Amino acid sequence: MVENRATGILEAVEALDFAAARQCVLDTVGAQTPAVETVPLAEAAGRVLACDVLSDRSYPPVDRSIRDGFAVRAADMPGTVKIVGEVRAGEMFGGTVREGQCIRIMTGAPLPDGADAVVMVEYGTVDGTAMTTAKTPKPGEFINRAGCETAQGDVVLRRGVRLKFPQIAMLATVGAATVEVYRRPRVAILATGDEIVPVEATPRTFEVRNSNSWALAAQVTAAGGIATVLPVAPDNLEATVRLVEDGLQADLLLLSGGVSAGEYDFVEAALARCGAEFFFTRVKIRPGAPLVFGRARERFFFGLPGNPLSTAVTFEVFARAALELLSGIAEPALQIVEAHLTQELREKGGLTRFLPAILDNGMAEVTPIHWKGSSDVPSLARSNAFIIAAPDREHYQEGDAVPVLLQ
Ligand code: AMP
Ligand code: MG
């Protein structure tokens, strides 16, 4: 522990390695059960389910054909049988299929009594009321037995899952016209820096437009939060404190910039004025080492480093997990695939590095982008992923498999 020059408070200055810092975020924020609201099914996509969903009946509720064809008795096959009727999806066949008989059946129709297999329409030759096939179907062929997909009362969706189209299909199937979901967390975004001007402005040579607030807002929205962009805080303590106080009204506060060791980096001091506790203030990653994570007034905050690639990466690998936990997501996980390098890669080691890259060929191949450091937004804009280089590896060969974080 040492005294922080800016804040006067004692801090752990030991930089955490990547895994330890991420675990710290997961453990500190922990599983949350946010307030619940009920939304129509049509508005449920992208939301987080707030209750387990049970199957209202068995699926399928009766034995059902999964092909167009002929409902037969397997023992009669191969051979010629008499077509004695037809059953379509949406109706039941009243009679029974007896020895030497079959009926025409359509996909989704209930299997008639007496039949125990389906011969696909392509394999039956029809001559008047006679159907001949060379097939020898096993009993049960092309039939989904009642309850084989799920039994009545089974849990078909678990609380804490993000609702994408497969889960929406499930909800509609069991008749969930409305859905209980967690409230989306509100996230305040506070960029700092005297050199930062609005997007609409024409910056002077020594100024830059505020890209972080808008990139973060997009990231927050993509992760299921409701973003509010606060005015940019100038590099002075009083103004920063006032805006931090505003930001701490939200469920999560994301700051960018002002967390390095410069004379005009006031973020930590402003947070300390608001009674912050700091869980870590440095992480062994590049870009993004001077990353601050803490809590003030019972709200979590991240002081993300200001360079745009640092801001983007630290949001994705740390802040996003906190936001997901605050959204009620049961187990936040990084979206990582393994891909093969299309060229060799040499990068100074010692830190976990997140390198902008292009992932293509069905996510099988990855090509690093020759970027110019953490201010290089054009390189970020060309990337669609980040190669994760391990601290103990400086050299990767063409063809080596590497972990790649999806954007
Ligand atoms: P800082 O962490 O405050 O020292 O900021 C590092 C660098 O990041 C600055 O020199 C800016 O060029 C850049 N930067 C900081 N905030 C923003 C922002 N909101 N949008 C774009 N660039 C930023
Ligand atoms: Mg700054």
Side-chain angles (χ1 to χ4, degrees):
M1 304 287 270
V2 297
E3 187 176 311
N4 181 310
R5 187 177 43 77
T7 61
I9 53 175
L10 291 178
E11 282 179 7
V13 286
E14 191 58 36
L16 296 184
D17 65 25
F18 170 61
R22 189 168 158 89
Q23 198 56 49
C24 171
V25 172
L26 295 174
D27 292 345
T28 309
V29 179
Q32 306 272 327
T33 47
V36 175
E37 60 186 355
T38 304
V39 297
L41 181 61
E43 291 166 26
R47 305 297 300 269
V48 180
L49 189 63
C51 57
D52 289 349
V53 172
L54 309 184
S55 189
D56 62 322
R57 56 182 184 165
S58 296
Y59 285 93
V62 291
D63 294 354
R64 239 167 37 157
S65 175
I66 55 171
R67 292 288 186 278
D68 293 323
F70 305 92
V72 299
R73 301 164 73 100
D76 289 346
M77 302 286 113
T80 299
V81 288
K82 186 166 186 236
I83 304 171
V84 295
E86 178 187 278
V87 62
R88 295 188 274 173
E91 62 184 22
M92 293 287 281
F93 181 71
T96 300
V97 178
R98 303 193 187 284
E99 203 179 325
Q101 298 181 338
C102 75
I103 72 156
R104 289 183 184 274
I105 193 163
M106 312 302 149
T107 302
L111 189 73
D113 282 350
D116 62 358
V118 171
V119 172
M120 283 167 66
V121 68
E122 294 86 334
Y123 294 104
T125 309
V126 177
D127 181 8
T129 59
M131 189 282 291
T132 303
T133 184
K135 287 278 168 195
T136 49
K138 290 191 211 61
E141 192 148 309
F142 297 130
I143 293 162
N144 268 6
R145 293 287 180 201
C148 74
E149 296 164 4
T150 190
Q152 180 174 22
D154 276 2
V155 176
V156 286
L157 293 171
R158 291 248 174 237
R159 183 171 75 86
V161 70
R162 173 96 61 203
L163 299 172
K164 298 188 183 177
F165 70 88
Q167 293 76 38
I168 297 291
M170 190 71 252
L171 287 164
T173 298
V174 300
T178 59
V179 189
E180 282 186 22
V181 294
Y182 288 125
R183 269 190 205 285
R184 298 163 70 192
R186 292 163 303 123
V187 182
I189 296 171
L190 176 53
T192 69
D194 286 340
E195 78 283 27
I196 308 304
V197 300
V199 173
E200 303 77 20
T202 303
R204 291 173 286 181
T205 49
F206 48 86
E207 294 172 331
V208 289
R209 293 195 183 94
N210 179 10
S211 65
N212 286 346
S213 291
W214 305 109
L216 284 172
Q219 289 172 291
V220 165
T221 306
I226 300 172
T228 303
V229 173
L230 297 175
V232 175
D235 288 323
N236 85 62
L237 183 57
E238 300 305 327
T240 308
V241 169
R242 279 195 297 277
L243 285 160
V244 164
E245 284 179 331
D246 284 353
L248 289 172
Q249 306 290 317
D251 298 309
L252 178 67
L253 169 61
L254 302 176
L255 299 107
S256 85
V259 288
S260 305
E263 293 290 327
Y264 297 96
D265 290 327
F266 288 111
V267 163
E268 281 172 87
L271 288 161
R273 279 274 195 95
C274 299
E277 54 180 321
F278 294 90
F279 303 119
F280 58 73
T281 56
R282 278 195 85 71
V283 185
K284 291 182 199 159
I285 59 169
R286 188 168 62 236
L291 169 67
V292 173
F293 169 51
R295 179 167 45 199
R297 301 183 184 169
E298 299 181 2
R299 298 291 198 270
F300 292 104
F301 61 78
F302 287 86
L304 309 173
N307 267 311
L309 271 76
S310 308
T311 315
V313 164
T314 49
F315 175 89
E316 286 300 310
V317 299
F318 296 110
R320 189 185 175 106
L323 175 53
E324 288 178 348
L325 286 166
L326 294 171
S327 308
I329 294 274
E331 286 176 13
L334 292 169
Q335 300 297 306
I336 293 176
V337 298
E338 206 174 70
H340 295 279
L341 283 166
T342 60
Q343 55 189 237
E344 81 163 353
L345 175 64
R346 283 181 193 277
E347 268 280 336
K348 191 165 163 291
L351 306 167
T352 303
R353 288 139 300 151
F354 297 88
L355 310 170
I358 297 172
L359 182 64
D360 59 12
N361 204 358
M363 297 199 192
E365 289 182 348
V366 65
T367 306
I369 289 176
H370 295 288
W371 59 312
K372 299 290 180 206
S374 55
S375 63
D376 186 353
V377 177
S379 286
L380 175 65
R382 272 184 286 132
S383 72
N384 63 3
F386 298 101
I387 294 170
I388 306 177
D392 58 355
R393 285 283 297 269
E394 301 216 328
H395 184 213
Y396 292 84
Q397 267 153 11
E398 181 183 337
D400 279 357
V402 287
V404 180
L405 177 69
L406 305 181
Q407 287 176 0

